[in-house]
Amino acid sequence: MSALLAGPRPAARRVGAGTWTFPSRPRLVRWASVVGRLEGEGPLAAGFDEGGRGRRRGPPRGAAAAAAGGRRAARRALDGLKGGPPELHLGGDLLDQNTPTHFAARDLDIPAFGLFSACATLTAGLAEAALAVDGGFCRRVLVTVSSHHETAERQYRFPIEFGHQRPATAQWTATAAAAFVVAGAEEGGADGVAIASATPGRVIDYGISDPYDMGSAMAPAAADTIERHLRDTGRSPRDYDAIVTGDLAEVGSELLRILLGERGIELGDRHEDCGLLLYDRRRHDVHAGGSGAGQCAAVFAARHLPALRAGRLRRVLLVATGALLSPTTYRQGESIPAVAHAVAFESGAPEAG
Amino acid sequence: MAKADERERRRYLELRSRVAPRHPRLRNAARAFAVGGLICAAGEGVMTYFMRLGLSADQAALPTAALLVLFGSVLTGLGVYDRWVRYAGMGASLPITGFANAIVAPAMEFRREGWVMGVGARMFEVAGPVIVFGTLASVVVGLGWYLLAGPAR
């Protein structure tokens, strides 16, 4: 017993006050994305594995429809994966009790944890998957994230066919899902996409209480996490090829730049926001931009991961942002707490030239 | 501080009001006027038709309202009416066709939860406040009228 207690301490895996590093460099070995009709008409259409299907009109969809995206993405990511299924499934979405995720998990037969960080669930899941793999608890972990426009509208706002005018700061919940398999370095190969570090976010509230302005509610959380990540790692935005935020959209992105500028951090041209990438905003009436847990997952899978695998991007910081509100809290006049978790990815592809 | 203090909150709200896009009030008002006007003109057309059939103005109002409700309901069922409101705001929400939309949309949405606890219980989720406060307002106005003008003779 005492010999066990006196055993060698593992290498330090935390830098600064709150950033985890993963010495074994877990790899993202598989990913797949599935999107709805509107999203499949956007500028990233070619990058999605499945998309553009679904009805233009018709009766409102039930809860089962919300589960379909995550399940299809998971099946695609797992299709042909050798060596048996992953040992753990971490997943989340936007609906009460994470039902879409659990309904999908019902068909997947993998031990599952439901996660909720609203639209920041993707990076929470990837960070925890890296933790489980780096810690030696799992060889492989499946991470799924999804959101579904119609069911989210029903839960958070109004019935889908009810007409109402949204303000210009409003965002459009995307119908999108993505699945990722995180595995040990031995499986991913030297040239895979590695999860290098992660900075879990603090819950931040700057007093925004307008559910039609979630970008403003989330920008301070993103600023806090980015600032802490850079301080912990001793890096600057220039050390990253891209700093990708989840879904701050137009207003939130501008506020993020201002907030970080006040703290002496210039994002410059390194920043892009998934909420401004998914839709063709001249054609799609999505106001300030897209949002939804599945959105940044699908955008990251369609746009950034292929570039990391090919080595066009060497190092990317993904900062998914979530507004932690419910219809009850905003009707009771509470402000909107928000959270942002950051995960840093590094390309293993050989340097060009 | 994870929860910003009062001063920080106020400063942030001010920052946000500088960054956030302005509500296009004039454009919205023009659209509401045009679409609301067209819906009301259609209503006038229907009412004139009923009066040509020999109904008095009072008698014609009821079938006119019923026909407009039918019109709003069918357009909601076809998935069109919410687009009108998104374009025209109150211009499409305020006429009785908009009221029909507010009843039919939740009825469609919650149909899956059953006829009783779905359609029956939740049909008035959106329009309920309009009915409650509409009734309340009519009581207040009626009471004011009574106090000013005395009992109806």
Side-chain angles (χ1 to χ4, degrees):
Chain A
M1 191 70 196
S2 61
L4 267 177
L5 287 173
R9 283 168 62 90
R13 286 175 171 165
R14 202 183 72 230
V15 293
T19 294
W20 308 338
T21 59
F22 306 111
S24 75
R25 300 172 68 77
R27 302 288 201 274
L28 268 169
V29 292
R30 292 291 195 93
W31 56 82
S33 55
V34 174
V35 298
R37 187 188 55 81
L38 197 65
E39 294 73 18
E41 290 173 358
L44 295 178
F48 301 121
D49 297 282
E50 258 183 65
R53 294 197 309 193
R55 290 172 293 178
R56 194 170 292 269
R57 293 197 185 120
R61 314 288 300 272
R71 183 169 44 227
R72 291 219 308 264
R75 289 251 163 86
R76 275 186 168 265
L78 296 177
D79 185 36
L81 187 72
K82 291 188 188 71
E87 293 88 24
L88 180 64
H89 171 197
L90 300 170
D93 56 82
L94 296 178
L95 298 191
D96 292 336
Q97 290 82 34
N98 266 341
T99 39
T101 297
H102 290 124
F103 278 41
R106 181 174 64 184
D107 300 334
L108 292 173
D109 273 337
I110 300 170
F113 286 139
L115 304 179
F116 186 80
S117 275
C119 308
T121 301
L122 168 65
T123 42
L126 290 175
E128 289 177 34
L131 208 62
V133 169
D134 191 62
F137 295 99
C138 299
R139 280 186 314 126
R140 299 192 284 207
V141 179
L142 170 71
V143 177
T144 62
V145 182
S146 65
S147 55
H148 184 258
H149 178 78
E150 290 164 297
T151 53
E153 285 296 306
R154 168 166 54 208
Q155 178 176 312
Y156 288 92
R157 295 179 191 95
F158 291 111
I160 200 81
E161 293 298 342
F162 173 65
H164 58 116
Q165 210 168 32
R166 298 147 178 267
T169 52
Q171 292 173 234
W172 184 267
T173 306
T175 297
F180 307 83
V181 178
V182 177
E186 69 287 349
E187 198 167 329
D191 58 352
V193 179
I195 300 181
S197 62
T199 307
R202 305 190 294 173
V203 175
I204 304 277
D205 188 340
Y206 269 42
I208 300 291
S209 55
D210 178 1
Y212 287 106
D213 187 8
M214 294 196 293
S216 298
M218 297 188 293
D224 182 72
T225 301
I226 291 171
E227 185 191 14
R228 289 192 304 115
H229 177 85
L230 295 176
R231 194 173 55 213
D232 286 347
T233 53
R235 288 178 181 161
S236 87
R238 304 212 69 77
D239 292 316
Y240 288 97
D241 296 321
I243 294 181
V244 182
T245 49
D247 45 11
L248 297 177
E250 196 164 9
V251 182
S253 295
E254 183 58 27
L255 286 167
L256 173 70
R257 278 191 286 274
I258 295 173
L259 287 174
L260 283 177
E262 288 173 353
R263 299 170 200 183
I265 299 166
E266 294 302 332
L267 287 178
D269 59 352
R270 298 295 147 114
H271 175 241
E272 58 182 22
D273 185 78
C274 296
L276 299 173
L277 294 169
L278 181 60
Y279 296 101
D280 177 353
R281 292 174 64 228
R282 280 164 308 179
R283 268 174 62 215
H284 301 142
D285 186 17
V286 296
H287 306 279
S291 74
Q295 167 184 268
C296 79
V299 170
F300 188 66
R303 177 180 167 92
H304 303 98
L305 278 175
L308 274 163
R309 181 163 55 190
R312 290 194 304 277
L313 292 172
R314 310 281 338 163
R315 203 188 259 172
V316 172
L317 186 67
L318 177 66
V319 189
T321 52
L324 307 170
L325 78 168
S326 85
T328 308
T329 62
Y330 75 72
R331 277 184 207 131
Q332 292 182 351
E334 296 284 340
S335 54
I336 303 172
V339 71
H341 308 297
V343 176
F345 301 87
E346 285 176 17
S347 173
E351 296 271 0
Chain B
M1 270 291 270
K3 189 158 182 178
D5 59 26
E6 195 50 44
R7 205 171 52 93
E8 212 172 348
R9 282 176 169 229
R10 219 173 297 136
R11 200 187 66 88
Y12 187 63
L13 282 174
E14 197 182 299
L15 188 66
R16 171 228 201 184
S17 65
R18 264 192 287 140
V19 170
R22 293 256 166 276
H23 217 52
R25 280 178 204 285
L26 210 63
R27 190 199 72 185
N28 285 353
R31 287 176 173 184
F33 182 79
V35 173
L38 282 174
I39 293 174
C40 292
E44 278 299 318
V46 172
M47 192 156 151
T48 308
Y49 171 75
F50 281 125
M51 284 163 74
R52 287 242 175 99
L53 292 183
L55 298 179
S56 72
D58 268 3
Q59 287 170 327
L62 213 60
T64 303
L67 207 64
L68 287 179
V69 165
L70 179 69
F71 180 65
S73 304
V74 169
L75 286 177
T76 301
L78 293 174
V80 175
Y81 205 82
D82 61 317
R83 286 156 197 249
W84 287 20
V85 181
R86 214 195 288 174
Y87 178 81
M90 268 296 151
S93 284
L94 206 58
I96 201 165
T97 45
F99 187 74
N101 171 251
I103 303 266
V104 172
M108 288 168 70
E109 189 78 49
F110 299 113
R111 169 66 191 90
R112 274 176 173 271
E113 292 169 30
W115 284 107
V116 177
M117 296 314 287
V119 175
R122 302 186 72 175
M123 188 157 145
F124 294 95
E125 197 171 84
V126 182
V130 180
I131 297 170
V132 169
F133 292 109
T135 308
L136 191 68
S138 67
V139 168
V140 170
V141 169
L143 204 63
W145 183 257
Y146 177 81
L147 292 176
L148 286 174
R153 274 176 294 255

